[in-house]
Amino acid sequence: MKPVPVWLRRLSDCTADLLFPPACTGCGERLEPFTRDRAFLCPFCRAAFAASGQTCRLQYPASADVSLCLYDPKAPDGVPQRVIYRIKHNRDRRVFDGLGRALAAGIRRRLDESGIRADCVICAYPPRKASTARREGVDQARELARSTAKH
């Protein structure tokens, strides 16, 4: 498959912002349209999302700390719950792009801290059932892995 040219993607983003003004995924507040770095959270929700993660320690690489956010479909309140719901049920490129950028930066930072030199990182994902992906319209694990690999 041939990649979409950057100028066409940018035109598509501007058209989408014109027809559907961007809103924060966490609270619904209007975001700045036509920006190159398309945010999906306002500054307040970004801070709430970052503060909500539960830190745990992994064995590899070099006992790095990672932040985990648990999803509970019965408790939809809170910024992380709304963001996770959005990626599970919608194909919002802004959310996948922002989360992929954050994951890639975290991977890069962990590798640098561990002293591991990597020319490439392989992003694998557990695929959803084909019927579920068709019904929801998105395989969020695949989209998130693609976005992380891109960044």
Side-chain angles (χ1 to χ4, degrees), residues 29-81:
E29 179 183 315
R30 293 284 176 213
L31 296 173
E32 188 69 33
F34 313 118
T35 57
R36 189 176 274 309
D37 184 21
R38 298 169 50 87
F40 67 97
L41 292 173
C42 67
F44 176 77
C45 289
R46 195 174 305 128
F49 187 78
S52 67
Q54 301 172 357
T55 301
C56 70
R57 189 165 287 272
L58 295 179
Q59 296 300 320
Y60 182 82
S63 67
D65 290 333
V66 295
S67 182
L68 300 175
C69 187
L70 303 175
Y71 176 67
D72 182 5
K74 293 178 235 129
D77 294 334
V79 175
Q81 299 297 321

CSV table of all heavy atoms in Angstrom, one decimal, residues 29-81:
chain,number,residue,atom,x,y,z
A,29,GLU,N,-13.9,20.3,26.1
A,29,GLU,CA,-13.5,21.7,25.9
A,29,GLU,C,-12.9,21.9,24.5
A,29,GLU,O,-12.2,21.0,24.0
A,29,GLU,CB,-12.5,22.2,26.9
A,29,GLU,CG,-12.0,23.6,26.7
A,29,GLU,CD,-10.9,24.0,27.7
A,29,GLU,OE1,-11.1,23.6,28.9
A,29,GLU,OE2,-9.9,24.6,27.3
A,30,ARG,N,-13.2,23.0,23.8
A,30,ARG,CA,-12.7,23.2,22.4
A,30,ARG,C,-11.2,23.4,22.5
A,30,ARG,O,-10.6,24.0,23.3
A,30,ARG,CB,-13.3,24.5,21.8
A,30,ARG,CG,-14.8,24.3,21.6
A,30,ARG,CD,-15.0,23.5,20.3
A,30,ARG,NE,-16.5,23.3,20.1
A,30,ARG,CZ,-17.0,22.2,19.6
A,30,ARG,NH1,-16.2,21.2,19.3
A,30,ARG,NH2,-18.3,22.1,19.5
A,31,LEU,N,-10.5,22.7,21.5
A,31,LEU,CA,-9.1,22.8,21.3
A,31,LEU,C,-8.8,23.8,20.2
A,31,LEU,O,-9.6,24.1,19.3
A,31,LEU,CB,-8.5,21.5,21.1
A,31,LEU,CG,-8.7,20.4,22.2
A,31,LEU,CD1,-8.2,19.1,21.8
A,31,LEU,CD2,-7.9,20.9,23.4
A,32,GLU,N,-7.5,24.2,20.1
A,32,GLU,CA,-7.0,25.0,19.0
A,32,GLU,C,-7.1,24.3,17.7
A,32,GLU,O,-6.4,23.3,17.6
A,32,GLU,CB,-5.6,25.5,19.4
A,32,GLU,CG,-5.1,26.6,18.4
A,32,GLU,CD,-5.8,27.9,18.6
A,32,GLU,OE1,-6.2,28.2,19.7
A,32,GLU,OE2,-5.9,28.6,17.6
A,33,PRO,N,-7.9,24.8,16.7
A,33,PRO,CA,-7.9,24.1,15.4
A,33,PRO,C,-6.7,24.4,14.6
A,33,PRO,O,-5.9,25.4,14.9
A,33,PRO,CB,-9.2,24.6,14.8
A,33,PRO,CG,-9.4,26.0,15.4
A,33,PRO,CD,-8.8,25.9,16.8
A,34,PHE,N,-6.5,23.6,13.5
A,34,PHE,CA,-5.4,23.9,12.5
A,34,PHE,C,-4.0,23.9,13.0
A,34,PHE,O,-3.2,24.6,12.5
A,34,PHE,CB,-5.7,25.2,11.7
A,34,PHE,CG,-7.1,25.3,11.3
A,34,PHE,CD1,-7.9,26.4,11.7
A,34,PHE,CD2,-7.7,24.4,10.4
A,34,PHE,CE1,-9.2,26.5,11.3
A,34,PHE,CE2,-9.0,24.5,10.0
A,34,PHE,CZ,-9.8,25.6,10.4
A,35,THR,N,-3.7,23.2,14.1
A,35,THR,CA,-2.4,23.1,14.6
A,35,THR,C,-1.7,21.9,14.0
A,35,THR,O,-2.3,20.9,13.7
A,35,THR,CB,-2.4,23.0,16.2
A,35,THR,OG1,-3.1,21.8,16.5
A,35,THR,CG2,-3.0,24.2,16.8
A,36,ARG,N,-0.4,22.0,13.9
A,36,ARG,CA,0.4,20.9,13.3
A,36,ARG,C,0.5,19.8,14.3
A,36,ARG,O,0.4,18.6,13.9
A,36,ARG,CB,1.8,21.4,13.0
A,36,ARG,CG,2.6,20.4,12.2
A,36,ARG,CD,4.0,20.9,11.8
A,36,ARG,NE,4.1,21.6,10.6
A,36,ARG,CZ,3.7,21.3,9.4
A,36,ARG,NH1,3.0,20.3,9.3
A,36,ARG,NH2,3.9,22.0,8.4
A,37,ASP,N,0.7,20.0,15.6
A,37,ASP,CA,0.7,19.0,16.6
A,37,ASP,C,-0.7,18.9,17.2
A,37,ASP,O,-1.1,19.6,18.1
A,37,ASP,CB,1.7,19.4,17.7
A,37,ASP,CG,1.8,18.3,18.7
A,37,ASP,OD1,1.5,17.1,18.4
A,37,ASP,OD2,2.3,18.6,19.9
A,38,ARG,N,-1.5,18.0,16.6
A,38,ARG,CA,-2.9,17.9,17.0
A,38,ARG,C,-3.1,17.2,18.3
A,38,ARG,O,-3.0,16.0,18.4
A,38,ARG,CB,-3.6,17.1,15.9
A,38,ARG,CG,-3.6,17.8,14.5
A,38,ARG,CD,-4.0,16.9,13.4
A,38,ARG,NE,-5.3,16.3,13.7
A,38,ARG,CZ,-6.5,16.9,13.4
A,38,ARG,NH1,-6.5,18.1,12.9
A,38,ARG,NH2,-7.6,16.2,13.6
A,39,ALA,N,-3.3,18.0,19.3
A,39,ALA,CA,-3.5,17.5,20.7
A,39,ALA,C,-4.9,16.9,20.8
A,39,ALA,O,-5.9,17.3,20.1
A,39,ALA,CB,-3.4,18.6,21.7
A,40,PHE,N,-5.1,15.9,21.7
A,40,PHE,CA,-6.4,15.4,21.9
A,40,PHE,C,-6.9,15.7,23.3
A,40,PHE,O,-8.0,15.3,23.7
A,40,PHE,CB,-6.4,13.9,21.7
A,40,PHE,CG,-5.6,13.0,22.6
A,40,PHE,CD1,-6.2,12.4,23.7
A,40,PHE,CD2,-4.2,12.9,22.4
A,40,PHE,CE1,-5.4,11.7,24.5
A,40,PHE,CE2,-3.5,12.1,23.3
A,40,PHE,CZ,-4.1,11.5,24.3
A,41,LEU,N,-6.1,16.3,24.2
A,41,LEU,CA,-6.4,16.6,25.6
A,41,LEU,C,-6.0,18.1,25.8
A,41,LEU,O,-5.0,18.6,25.3
A,41,LEU,CB,-5.7,15.7,26.6
A,41,LEU,CG,-6.1,14.3,26.6
A,41,LEU,CD1,-5.1,13.5,27.6
A,41,LEU,CD2,-7.5,14.1,27.1
A,42,CYS,N,-6.9,18.8,26.6
A,42,CYS,CA,-6.6,20.1,27.0
A,42,CYS,C,-5.5,20.0,28.1
A,42,CYS,O,-5.2,18.9,28.6
A,42,CYS,CB,-7.8,20.8,27.5
A,42,CYS,SG,-8.5,20.1,29.1
A,43,PRO,N,-4.8,21.1,28.5
A,43,PRO,CA,-3.8,21.1,29.5
A,43,PRO,C,-4.3,20.5,30.8
A,43,PRO,O,-3.5,19.7,31.5
A,43,PRO,CB,-3.3,22.5,29.6
A,43,PRO,CG,-3.7,23.1,28.3
A,43,PRO,CD,-4.9,22.5,27.9
A,44,PHE,N,-5.5,20.8,31.2
A,44,PHE,CA,-6.0,20.3,32.5
A,44,PHE,C,-6.2,18.8,32.5
A,44,PHE,O,-5.7,18.0,33.4
A,44,PHE,CB,-7.3,21.0,32.8
A,44,PHE,CG,-8.0,20.4,34.1
A,44,PHE,CD1,-7.5,20.8,35.3
A,44,PHE,CD2,-9.1,19.5,34.0
A,44,PHE,CE1,-8.1,20.3,36.5
A,44,PHE,CE2,-9.6,19.0,35.1
A,44,PHE,CZ,-9.2,19.4,36.4
A,45,CYS,N,-6.8,18.3,31.4
A,45,CYS,CA,-7.0,16.8,31.2
A,45,CYS,C,-5.7,16.1,31.0
A,45,CYS,O,-5.5,14.9,31.4
A,45,CYS,CB,-8.0,16.6,30.1
A,45,CYS,SG,-9.7,17.0,30.5
A,46,ARG,N,-4.7,16.7,30.3
A,46,ARG,CA,-3.4,16.1,30.2
A,46,ARG,C,-2.7,15.9,31.5
A,46,ARG,O,-2.2,14.8,31.8
A,46,ARG,CB,-2.5,17.0,29.3
A,46,ARG,CG,-1.3,16.3,28.8
A,46,ARG,CD,-0.5,17.1,27.8
A,46,ARG,NE,-1.3,17.6,26.7
A,46,ARG,CZ,-1.4,18.9,26.3
A,46,ARG,NH1,-0.7,19.8,26.9
A,46,ARG,NH2,-2.2,19.3,25.3
A,47,ALA,N,-2.8,16.8,32.4
A,47,ALA,CA,-2.3,16.7,33.8
A,47,ALA,C,-3.0,15.6,34.5
A,47,ALA,O,-2.4,14.8,35.2
A,47,ALA,CB,-2.3,18.0,34.5
A,48,ALA,N,-4.4,15.6,34.4
A,48,ALA,CA,-5.2,14.5,35.1
A,48,ALA,C,-4.8,13.2,34.6
A,48,ALA,O,-4.8,12.2,35.3
A,48,ALA,CB,-6.6,14.9,35.0
A,49,PHE,N,-4.6,13.0,33.3
A,49,PHE,CA,-4.3,11.8,32.6
A,49,PHE,C,-3.0,11.3,33.1
A,49,PHE,O,-2.8,10.1,33.5
A,49,PHE,CB,-4.3,11.9,31.1
A,49,PHE,CG,-4.2,10.6,30.4
A,49,PHE,CD1,-5.2,9.7,30.3
A,49,PHE,CD2,-2.9,10.3,29.8
A,49,PHE,CE1,-5.1,8.5,29.6
A,49,PHE,CE2,-2.8,9.1,29.2
A,49,PHE,CZ,-3.8,8.2,29.0
A,50,ALA,N,-2.0,12.2,33.2
A,50,ALA,CA,-0.6,11.8,33.6
A,50,ALA,C,-0.6,11.4,35.1
A,50,ALA,O,0.1,10.5,35.5
A,50,ALA,CB,0.3,12.9,33.4
A,51,ALA,N,-1.4,12.1,35.9
A,51,ALA,CA,-1.4,11.8,37.3
A,51,ALA,C,-2.2,10.6,37.7
A,51,ALA,O,-2.0,10.0,38.8
A,51,ALA,CB,-2.0,13.0,38.1
A,52,SER,N,-3.0,10.1,36.8
A,52,SER,CA,-3.9,9.0,37.1
A,52,SER,C,-3.3,7.6,37.0
A,52,SER,O,-3.8,6.6,37.5
A,52,SER,CB,-5.2,9.0,36.2
A,52,SER,OG,-4.8,8.7,34.9
A,53,GLY,N,-2.2,7.5,36.3
A,53,GLY,CA,-1.5,6.2,36.1
A,53,GLY,C,-1.0,5.6,37.4
A,53,GLY,O,-0.5,6.3,38.3
A,54,GLN,N,-1.0,4.3,37.4
A,54,GLN,CA,-0.4,3.6,38.6
A,54,GLN,C,1.0,3.2,38.2
A,54,GLN,O,1.2,2.5,37.2
A,54,GLN,CB,-1.3,2.4,38.9
A,54,GLN,CG,-2.7,2.8,39.3
A,54,GLN,CD,-3.6,1.6,39.4
A,54,GLN,OE1,-3.1,0.4,39.2
A,54,GLN,NE2,-4.8,1.8,39.8
A,55,THR,N,2.0,3.6,38.9
A,55,THR,CA,3.4,3.3,38.6
A,55,THR,C,3.7,1.9,39.1
A,55,THR,O,3.4,1.5,40.2
A,55,THR,CB,4.3,4.3,39.2
A,55,THR,OG1,4.0,5.6,38.6
A,55,THR,CG2,5.8,4.0,38.8
A,56,CYS,N,4.3,1.1,38.2
A,56,CYS,CA,4.8,-0.2,38.6
A,56,CYS,C,6.2,-0.4,38.1
A,56,CYS,O,6.7,0.3,37.2
A,56,CYS,CB,3.9,-1.3,38.2
A,56,CYS,SG,3.9,-1.6,36.4
A,57,ARG,N,7.0,-1.4,38.6
A,57,ARG,CA,8.3,-1.6,38.2
A,57,ARG,C,8.4,-2.9,37.4
A,57,ARG,O,7.9,-3.9,37.8
A,57,ARG,CB,9.2,-1.7,39.4
A,57,ARG,CG,10.7,-1.7,39.1
A,57,ARG,CD,11.5,-1.5,40.3
A,57,ARG,NE,11.4,-0.1,40.7
A,57,ARG,CZ,12.3,0.9,40.3
A,57,ARG,NH1,13.2,0.6,39.4
A,57,ARG,NH2,12.2,2.1,40.7
A,58,LEU,N,9.0,-2.8,36.2
A,58,LEU,CA,9.2,-4.0,35.4
A,58,LEU,C,10.6,-4.6,35.6
A,58,LEU,O,11.5,-3.9,36.0
A,58,LEU,CB,9.1,-3.6,33.9
A,58,LEU,CG,7.7,-3.0,33.4
A,58,LEU,CD1,7.8,-2.7,31.9
A,58,LEU,CD2,6.7,-4.1,33.6
A,59,GLN,N,10.7,-5.8,35.3
A,59,GLN,CA,12.0,-6.5,35.4
A,59,GLN,C,13.0,-6.1,34.3
A,59,GLN,O,14.2,-6.1,34.4
A,59,GLN,CB,11.8,-8.0,35.4
A,59,GLN,CG,11.0,-8.5,36.5
A,59,GLN,CD,11.7,-8.2,37.9
A,59,GLN,OE1,12.9,-8.3,38.0
A,59,GLN,NE2,10.9,-7.8,38.9
A,60,TYR,N,12.4,-5.9,33.1
A,60,TYR,CA,13.3,-5.6,31.9
A,60,TYR,C,12.7,-4.4,31.2
A,60,TYR,O,11.5,-4.3,31.0
A,60,TYR,CB,13.3,-6.8,31.0
A,60,TYR,CG,14.2,-6.6,29.8
A,60,TYR,CD1,15.6,-6.7,30.0
A,60,TYR,CD2,13.7,-6.2,28.6
A,60,TYR,CE1,16.4,-6.5,28.9
A,60,TYR,CE2,14.6,-6.0,27.5
A,60,TYR,CZ,15.9,-6.1,27.7
A,60,TYR,OH,16.7,-5.9,26.6
A,61,PRO,N,13.4,-3.4,30.7
A,61,PRO,CA,14.8,-3.3,30.8
A,61,PRO,C,15.3,-2.6,32.1
A,61,PRO,O,14.7,-1.6,32.4
A,61,PRO,CB,15.2,-2.5,29.6
A,61,PRO,CG,14.0,-1.7,29.3
A,61,PRO,CD,12.8,-2.5,29.7
A,62,ALA,N,16.2,-3.1,32.7
A,62,ALA,CA,16.8,-2.5,33.9
A,62,ALA,C,15.8,-1.9,34.9
A,62,ALA,O,15.9,-0.8,35.3
A,62,ALA,CB,17.8,-1.5,33.5
A,63,SER,N,14.8,-2.7,35.3
A,63,SER,CA,13.8,-2.3,36.3
A,63,SER,C,13.3,-0.9,36.0
A,63,SER,O,13.3,-0.1,36.9
A,63,SER,CB,14.4,-2.5,37.7
A,63,SER,OG,15.4,-1.5,37.9
A,64,ALA,N,12.7,-0.7,34.9
A,64,ALA,CA,12.2,0.6,34.5
A,64,ALA,C,10.8,0.8,35.1
A,64,ALA,O,10.1,-0.2,35.3
A,64,ALA,CB,12.1,0.7,33.0
A,65,ASP,N,10.5,2.0,35.5
A,65,ASP,CA,9.1,2.3,36.0
A,65,ASP,C,8.2,2.6,34.8
A,65,ASP,O,8.6,3.3,33.9
A,65,ASP,CB,9.2,3.5,36.9
A,65,ASP,CG,9.9,3.2,38.2
A,65,ASP,OD1,9.8,2.1,38.7
A,65,ASP,OD2,10.4,4.1,38.9
A,66,VAL,N,7.0,2.1,34.8
A,66,VAL,CA,6.1,2.4,33.8
A,66,VAL,C,4.8,2.8,34.4
A,66,VAL,O,4.5,2.4,35.6
A,66,VAL,CB,5.8,1.2,32.8
A,66,VAL,CG1,7.1,0.8,32.0
A,66,VAL,CG2,5.3,0.0,33.6
A,67,SER,N,4.0,3.5,33.7
A,67,SER,CA,2.7,4.0,34.2
A,67,SER,C,1.6,3.2,33.5
A,67,SER,O,1.6,3.1,32.3
A,67,SER,CB,2.5,5.5,33.9
A,67,SER,OG,1.3,5.9,34.5
A,68,LEU,N,0.7,2.6,34.3
A,68,LEU,CA,-0.4,1.8,33.8
A,68,LEU,C,-1.7,2.4,34.1
A,68,LEU,O,-1.8,3.0,35.2
A,68,LEU,CB,-0.4,0.4,34.4
A,68,LEU,CG,0.9,-0.5,34.2
A,68,LEU,CD1,0.8,-1.8,35.0
A,68,LEU,CD2,1.1,-0.8,32.7
A,69,CYS,N,-2.6,2.4,33.2
A,69,CYS,CA,-3.9,2.9,33.4
A,69,CYS,C,-4.9,1.8,33.2
A,69,CYS,O,-5.0,1.2,32.1
A,69,CYS,CB,-4.1,4.1,32.4
A,69,CYS,SG,-5.6,4.9,32.7
A,70,LEU,N,-5.7,1.5,34.2
A,70,LEU,CA,-6.6,0.4,34.1
A,70,LEU,C,-8.0,0.9,33.6
A,70,LEU,O,-8.4,2.0,33.9
A,70,LEU,CB,-6.8,-0.3,35.5
A,70,LEU,CG,-5.5,-0.8,36.1
A,70,LEU,CD1,-5.8,-1.3,37.5
A,70,LEU,CD2,-4.9,-1.9,35.3
A,71,TYR,N,-8.6,0.1,32.7
A,71,TYR,CA,-9.9,0.5,32.2
A,71,TYR,C,-11.0,-0.3,32.8
A,71,TYR,O,-10.9,-1.5,32.9
A,71,TYR,CB,-9.9,0.2,30.6
A,71,TYR,CG,-11.2,0.5,30.0
A,71,TYR,CD1,-11.7,1.8,29.9
A,71,TYR,CD2,-11.9,-0.5,29.4
A,71,TYR,CE1,-12.9,2.1,29.3
A,71,TYR,CE2,-13.1,-0.3,28.8
A,71,TYR,CZ,-13.6,1.0,28.7
A,71,TYR,OH,-14.8,1.3,28.1
A,72,ASP,N,-12.0,0.4,33.3
A,72,ASP,CA,-13.2,-0.3,33.9
A,72,ASP,C,-14.4,0.2,33.2
A,72,ASP,O,-14.8,1.4,33.4
A,72,ASP,CB,-13.3,0.0,35.4
A,72,ASP,CG,-14.4,-0.7,36.0
A,72,ASP,OD1,-15.1,-1.5,35.4
A,72,ASP,OD2,-14.7,-0.4,37.2
A,73,PRO,N,-15.0,-0.5,32.3
A,73,PRO,CA,-16.2,0.0,31.5
A,73,PRO,C,-17.4,0.3,32.4
A,73,PRO,O,-18.2,1.1,32.0
A,73,PRO,CB,-16.5,-1.2,30.5
A,73,PRO,CG,-15.8,-2.4,31.1
A,73,PRO,CD,-14.7,-1.9,31.9
A,74,LYS,N,-17.4,-0.2,33.6
A,74,LYS,CA,-18.5,0.1,34.5
A,74,LYS,C,-18.4,1.5,35.2
A,74,LYS,O,-19.3,2.0,35.8
A,74,LYS,CB,-18.7,-1.0,35.5
A,74,LYS,CG,-19.2,-2.3,34.9
A,74,LYS,CD,-19.3,-3.4,35.9
A,74,LYS,CE,-18.4,-4.5,35.5
A,74,LYS,NZ,-17.5,-5.1,36.4
A,75,ALA,N,-17.2,2.0,35.2
A,75,ALA,CA,-16.9,3.3,35.8
A,75,ALA,C,-16.3,4.3,34.7
A,75,ALA,O,-15.1,4.5,34.6
A,75,ALA,CB,-15.9,3.1,36.9
A,76,PRO,N,-17.2,4.9,34.0
A,76,PRO,CA,-16.7,5.7,32.8
A,76,PRO,C,-16.2,7.1,33.2
A,76,PRO,O,-15.9,7.9,32.4
A,76,PRO,CB,-18.0,5.8,31.9
A,76,PRO,CG,-19.1,5.7,32.9
A,76,PRO,CD,-18.7,4.8,34.0
A,77,ASP,N,-16.2,7.4,34.5
A,77,ASP,CA,-15.8,8.8,34.9
A,77,ASP,C,-14.3,8.8,35.0
A,77,ASP,O,-13.6,7.9,35.3
A,77,ASP,CB,-16.4,9.1,36.3
A,77,ASP,CG,-17.9,9.3,36.3
A,77,ASP,OD1,-18.4,9.6,35.2
A,77,ASP,OD2,-18.5,9.1,37.3
A,78,GLY,N,-13.8,10.0,34.7
A,78,GLY,CA,-12.3,10.2,34.7
A,78,GLY,C,-11.8,10.3,33.3
A,78,GLY,O,-12.3,9.7,32.4
A,79,VAL,N,-10.7,11.1,33.2
A,79,VAL,CA,-10.1,11.3,31.9
A,79,VAL,C,-9.5,10.0,31.3
A,79,VAL,O,-9.8,9.7,30.1
A,79,VAL,CB,-9.0,12.4,32.0
A,79,VAL,CG1,-8.2,12.5,30.7
A,79,VAL,CG2,-9.6,13.7,32.4
A,80,PRO,N,-8.8,9.2,32.0
A,80,PRO,CA,-8.3,8.0,31.4
A,80,PRO,C,-9.4,7.0,30.9
A,80,PRO,O,-9.2,6.5,29.8
A,80,PRO,CB,-7.5,7.3,32.5
A,80,PRO,CG,-7.2,8.4,33.5
A,80,PRO,CD,-8.3,9.3,33.4
A,81,GLN,N,-10.5,6.9,31.6
A,81,GLN,CA,-11.6,6.1,31.2
A,81,GLN,C,-12.2,6.6,29.9
A,81,GLN,O,-12.4,5.8,29.0
A,81,GLN,CB,-12.7,6.0,32.3
A,81,GLN,CG,-12.2,5.5,33.6
A,81,GLN,CD,-11.8,4.0,33.5
A,81,GLN,OE1,-12.4,3.2,32.8
A,81,GLN,NE2,-10.7,3.7,34.1
